[in-house]
Amino acid sequence: MRGLMQDWPLLCSKVIDHAANEHPLREVVSRSVEGPMHRTNYREVRQRALKIAQLLEREGYGLGDRIATMAWNTWRHLECWYGIMGVGAIYHTLNPRLFPEQLAWIMNDAEDKLLFVDLTFLPLIEALAPKVASLKKVIVLTDAEHMPETKLPGAVAYEEWLKGADGDFVWKEFDENTAAGMCYTSGTTGNPKGVVYSHRSNVLHSMIAQAPDAMNISSSSRMLPIVPLFHANGWGIALTTPMTGATLVMPGPKMDGASVYQLLTEERVTCTAAVPTVWLMLLQHLEAHGGELPDLERVIIGGSACPRRVIDAFQNRYGAQVVHAWGMTEMSPLGTLCAIKPEYADLTGDELLAVEETQGFPPFGVEMKVTDDENRTLPRDGKTFGRLKVRGPAVAKAYYKDQGAELFDDERWFDTGDVAHIDPHGYMKITDRAKDVIKSGGEWISSIEIENIAVGHPDVAEAAVIGLSHPKWDERPLLVCVRREGRDPTKEDVLGYLDGKIAKWWMPDDVVFVDEIPHTAAGKIRKTALRDEFRGYVLPTA
Ligand code: AMP
């Protein structure tokens, strides 16, 4: 017997409809690229998104067309997402921090036909456009007054373009498994791989993300996503926030400590999300200039491992709960979040911080396991680490054009490329990327674990650990540190600090200080570049 419930396809247009119907006047506040703060609401965002869809259809764009955006988090970028999805096209977020050649490759691979671009990136796009044959038109996200001269094909100012529509449009309806969005992962080897989200996966992911043990967002939240929409599906926040009716505050192009602090306080933000680097900048700003965060309840931190001192500072100095999260572009992106289960509710001090340093446990909708190289499931004992594998309705089952097929097995498990262990209460801890793990005498050493502890040293600003070849042990760890400004730690200081905090055989064989550690476009440490830099380096123990 079939259930007798309605067919109600999970389309992203329903999310903005819901926000506009049930929370019409809830504010969407942005720092504009032009400078001033801008205020709108869900009703207006929907109305303008309808205009976009209407214009796109009129100009011949529709089902399955890839439409790129290269933009900061603002109300205009949000409208574009809904307008594009509402006509059945696919938003394709471009990360402006990638190399131009990589961007051209990605745009050609996706065959982007149209591009919405912020003023900031116009020079970059002027250089790129001639290399992308599919690109027919560029819409600059500004008004006539701020529109610069440009020779880009069919370039038009967004606000002028919108004037051509009245918004009398009905969202297109189609199967919920239709593609809605696209985001490329910048693998450190090989070409970038396209991840294609569906309407269904986006809607389910947003329902999953708002739960109390996940992002915990409701209509009374005031959410500031600092993580850009062009990183890993913008952590789904462009959908989760309207779905809950929460106020949305967006940082535009400014993500420095002072600008973030201004938004957090003036807009009375209760919940915010970004990578650790952003929070380190904010905490440095607060240390230097003083200030409190009276409204802030929750800080969601992910993208790379969150150092203990960041968790400690937010919780014990500023009174905001840290939710350490792990995810991937391939997972829409949420995988796990670190809420506190009753089993750990009585912990305090360092014991609590040790749990909060883990990446937490998956919400409903994410299945997870750790296996050895022969695909045997490893015990959840909090120590045994192996390959982390996941599956679920918002996890990729393939890449665009079937790249990287070897990462998906017959039972749909996706090999994340991360190495992790899981404790008896289900808390997962990333110990490395599979290709960064250090193999010493047949045992694995977690580079991330050592890095996390090293940055706890008051004189160390950033730390990275890589494996260097060793005649006896195969590989041994080298610790690379950036000194904090005005401080001068020695190798012995840093090793002394690590002593007793990690196993003796994990101790780095050497410590070197550099001015800068190389980063990827997503702000993660570029271990490949670091390994290249230290290729010929001879460890004192070798
Ligand atoms: P991306 O798809 O660019 O977001 O990168 C995903 C990768 O970032 C994951 O596979 C992890 O290696 C890393 N990552 C994300 N969040 C965390 C975290 N909280 N701790 C450690 N690594 C993380």
Side-chain angles (χ1 to χ4, degrees):
M1 196 195 303
R2 308 257 309 163
L4 293 175
M5 293 292 129
Q6 299 184 358
D7 265 337
W8 196 81
L10 302 178
L11 300 182
C12 296
S13 53
K14 293 206 161 37
V15 174
I16 198 67
D17 282 353
H18 173 78
N21 286 333
E22 307 307 331
H23 311 275
L25 303 182
R26 193 81 64 243
E27 274 194 311
V28 175
V29 184
S30 319
R31 192 190 295 283
S32 69
V33 175
E34 295 86 352
M37 294 301 292
H38 176 275
R39 312 186 91 85
T40 179
N41 57 45
Y42 286 130
R43 181 190 283 163
E44 284 176 28
V45 166
R46 174 176 179 274
Q47 194 51 33
R48 283 162 52 97
L50 281 165
K51 289 187 185 181
I52 296 174
Q54 184 182 23
L55 287 163
L56 289 176
E57 186 177 59
R58 191 187 296 164
E59 297 183 16
Y61 302 97
L63 201 65
D65 285 332
R66 272 77 74 198
I67 299 186
T69 64
M70 189 185 280
W72 301 113
N73 292 5
T74 68
W75 80 104
R76 289 186 180 128
H77 197 176
L78 186 72
E79 293 163 358
C80 289
W81 271 37
Y82 283 101
I84 293 167
M85 291 190 287
V87 73
I90 301 165
Y91 65 82
H92 172 203
T93 47
L94 296 171
N95 182 348
R97 296 175 189 143
L98 295 175
F99 293 116
E101 306 79 64
Q102 252 176 329
L103 279 166
W105 189 92
I106 287 173
M107 293 181 78
N108 280 312
D109 193 58
E111 295 167 77
D112 295 326
K113 287 190 176 168
L114 176 71
L115 168 70
F116 291 94
V117 64
D118 263 335
L119 284 170
T120 323
F121 311 118
L122 214 50
L124 174 58
I125 291 304
E126 280 167 346
L128 272 180
K131 298 180 188 148
V132 185
S134 53
L135 191 63
K136 292 198 252 180
K137 180 171 177 139
V138 177
I139 298 175
V140 185
L141 293 164
T142 191
D143 52 23
E145 191 191 333
H146 294 89
M147 180 73 180
E149 287 275 331
T150 172
K151 291 203 180 66
L152 280 165
V156 55
Y158 178 73
E159 297 296 340
E160 287 305 296
W161 182 66
L162 280 188
K163 284 182 186 160
D166 58 10
D168 183 13
F169 185 81
V170 181
W171 301 124
K172 294 287 166 195
E173 288 234 0
F174 32 76
D175 182 88
E176 63 182 19
N177 287 300
T178 304
M182 212 171 171
C183 186
Y184 279 73
T185 66
S186 45
T188 38
T189 52
N191 284 323
K193 298 187 208 51
V195 177
V196 184
Y197 310 107
S198 67
H199 284 260
R200 173 186 155 84
S201 70
N202 266 349
V203 170
L204 287 175
H205 181 268
S206 299
M207 295 174 79
I208 291 166
Q210 57 185 272
D213 274 352
M215 287 193 178
N216 194 359
I217 313 180
S218 73
S219 58
S220 30
S221 306
R222 299 177 65 83
M223 177 70 177
L224 169 65
I226 302 174
V227 51
L229 291 180
F230 56 76
H231 273 179
N233 208 20
W235 296 9
I237 295 173
L239 287 132
T240 312
T241 316
M243 190 183 268
T244 58
T247 301
L248 190 52
V249 182
M250 292 191 281
K254 292 203 169 163
M255 284 165 267
D256 59 284
S259 305
V260 168
Y261 178 67
Q262 188 193 6
L263 282 188
L264 288 172
T265 48
E266 288 181 8
E267 297 300 334
R268 295 173 291 115
V269 167
T270 62
C271 182
T272 178
V275 294
T277 332
V278 167
W279 302 122
L280 286 167
M281 287 195 295
L282 175 72
L283 292 172
Q284 271 169 20
H285 172 83
L286 287 169
E287 256 175 48
H289 303 276
E292 298 296 329
L293 301 168
D295 300 293
L296 192 62
E297 293 165 9
R298 235 172 355 276
V299 189
I300 299 155
I301 307 183
S304 48
C306 182
R308 183 182 283 222
R309 71 173 144 106
V310 172
I311 307 179
D312 190 23
F314 273 116
Q315 295 188 165
N316 300 324
R317 166 66 186 86
Y318 297 102
Q321 181 69 36
V322 166
V323 180
H324 189 196
W326 164 83
M328 301 182 77
T329 305
E330 289 88 333
M331 300 181 74
S332 297
L334 290 184
T336 59
L337 299 105
C338 193
I340 299 300
K341 292 186 185 181
E343 289 84 344
Y344 285 139
D346 294 333
L347 297 182
T348 53
D350 280 348
E351 282 181 330
L352 178 61
L353 283 173
V355 172
E356 293 179 316
E357 241 179 348
T358 74
Q359 282 77 5
F361 56 94
F364 173 76
V366 177
E367 289 179 69
M368 163 178 103
K369 67 176 179 183
V370 167
T371 75
D372 63 14
D373 283 341
E374 274 72 51
N375 200 24
R376 284 182 298 240
T377 301
L378 296 170
R380 291 186 168 207
D381 59 6
K383 322 193 272 272
T384 313
F385 51 88
R387 292 178 165 276
L388 179 62
K389 298 184 179 167
V390 292
R391 58 183 187 187
V395 177
K397 65 175 174 186
Y399 289 109
Y400 185 54
K401 297 184 179 165
D402 222 15
Q403 300 276 323
E406 67 284 358
L407 297 177
F408 305 89
D409 75 12
D410 295 344
E411 294 172 320
R412 290 273 162 82
W413 288 101
F414 167 63
D415 187 337
T416 63
D418 283 326
V419 174
H421 55 65
I422 304 177
D423 86 358
H425 299 308
Y427 284 70
M428 182 275 287
K429 185 157 187 192
I430 301 276
T431 57
D432 245 312
R433 289 293 293 166
K435 52 190 181 309
D436 296 337
V437 76
I438 298 160
K439 294 181 177 129
S440 172
E443 300 286 344
W444 288 9
I445 297 177
S446 157
S447 64
I448 293 187
E449 191 106 8
I450 306 175
E451 287 160 9
N452 281 347
I453 297 173
V455 290
H457 189 291
D459 297 343
V460 173
E462 198 177 13
V465 174
I466 50 171
L468 292 188
S469 61
H470 190 280
K472 180 165 176 204
W473 300 108
D474 190 20
E475 276 185 344
R476 289 295 302 159
L478 169 74
L479 172 58
V480 183
C481 293
V482 178
R483 296 184 173 95
R484 274 225 198 192
E485 222 177 285
R487 310 284 176 85
D488 198 17
T490 62
K491 165 178 167 178
E492 288 68 31
D493 292 338
V494 178
L495 289 179
Y497 181 78
L498 293 177
D499 194 22
K501 298 189 176 79
I502 52 173
K504 278 258 174 296
W505 63 278
W506 281 31
M507 272 297 198
D509 284 24
D510 202 1
V511 181
V512 290
F513 295 92
V514 295
D515 292 337
E516 211 182 328
I517 286 175
H519 290 99
T520 67
K524 296 174 202 199
I525 295 175
R526 240 163 34 127
K527 295 266 171 102
T528 42
L530 213 54
R531 278 194 286 266
D532 285 346
E533 201 176 319
F534 286 94
R535 179 140 295 142
Y537 192 86
V538 181
L539 290 168
T541 52

